[in-house]
Amino acid sequence: MSTPRRGTAKPPGKLRIIGGDFRRRMLPVLDHPGLRPTPDRVRETLFNWLGQALHGKQVLDLFAGTGALGIESLSRRAAQVTFVERDTHVAALIRDNLATLGATQGQVVTADAQAFLEKPSQPADLVFLDPPFYQGLAASCCAALEAGGWLASDAMIYLETEQSLTPAVPANWNLHRETQAGESIARLYQRVPS
């Protein structure tokens, strides 16, 4: 393996869409510090859990990163996906990838996820929450989603955290499924109206 020369950027990686209308499409991904794309195997497991339940749904992808989870949702005919990503370069690439796919139902918001959750809400049927590891963001974001009216009455919430974390989630979120991959654990919760 050769080492890149100083001053040259590593070429972007690729993201493969695993199902739906955009299946097998390859999209560029930035080599960016802290960017942790959800592995193919975990995405495949997650969307098997969700089944065909995405058609016509409102989706919120917080800490969107590569946008993989939101794009997979659009590929499965979600009505609208809002991608929230604070890094301007990463957010710009999500916009470019949506344009490449012709996915006009995707909206990218360049903002900090926690600040975004303090704004007026529109209830989502499905939320992807994949905060940076070891920064203590999971519990506060879960609480903000519940308290801020961001969740439809029977919303599903996907939460990906470091394995060492047992996240504090609202009492009316029931754990539906979970899986481990590498140093992360992925949990899918079903909200029960309180």
Side-chain angles (χ1 to χ4, degrees), residues 42-55:
V42 174
R43 277 188 287 133
E44 188 166 10
T45 298
L46 169 63
F47 285 95
N48 284 339
W49 292 344
L50 293 169
Q52 301 303 313
L54 294 178
H55 185 79

Side-chain angles (χ1 to χ4, degrees), residues 29-188:
V29 174
L30 292 177
D31 177 33
H32 193 76
L35 201 57
R36 261 184 316 98
T38 300
D40 285 8
R41 184 181 66 80
V42 174
R43 277 188 287 133
E44 188 166 10
T45 298
L46 169 63
F47 285 95
N48 284 339
W49 292 344
L50 293 169
Q52 301 303 313
L54 294 178
H55 185 79
K57 299 294 185 181
Q58 297 291 323
V59 179
L60 177 59
D61 190 354
L62 292 169
F63 303 97
T66 64
L69 298 175
I71 292 171
E72 291 283 0
S73 298
L74 289 171
S75 186
R76 290 162 174 82
R77 305 204 176 174
Q80 175 74 34
V81 178
T82 301
F83 300 82
V84 180
E85 172 54 50
R86 73 176 178 186
D87 185 280
T88 55
H89 299 295
V90 176
L93 186 58
I94 297 172
R95 282 189 194 92
D96 291 347
N97 285 339
L98 292 173
T100 296
L101 296 170
T104 57
Q105 314 89 327
Q107 173 194 9
V108 181
V109 178
T110 306
D112 175 81
Q114 289 183 299
F116 178 82
L117 291 175
E118 293 172 5
K119 296 180 179 182
S121 61
Q122 177 179 341
D125 301 297
L126 174 63
V127 176
F128 298 117
L129 181 56
D130 185 6
F133 287 179
Y134 307 109
Q135 294 186 24
L137 299 173
S140 61
C141 286
C142 290
L145 283 167
E146 183 63 36
W150 285 99
L151 301 173
S153 62
D154 60 348
M156 302 290 284
I157 304 97
Y158 169 82
L159 176 61
E160 189 174 331
T161 66
E162 61 271 26
Q163 279 195 26
S164 60
L165 180 68
T166 303
V169 300
N172 61 323
W173 292 14
N174 292 333
L175 182 62
H176 180 62
R177 300 276 177 94
E178 70 178 59
T179 188
Q180 295 182 11
E183 61 184 70
S184 68
I185 185 162
R187 295 176 174 94
L188 183 64

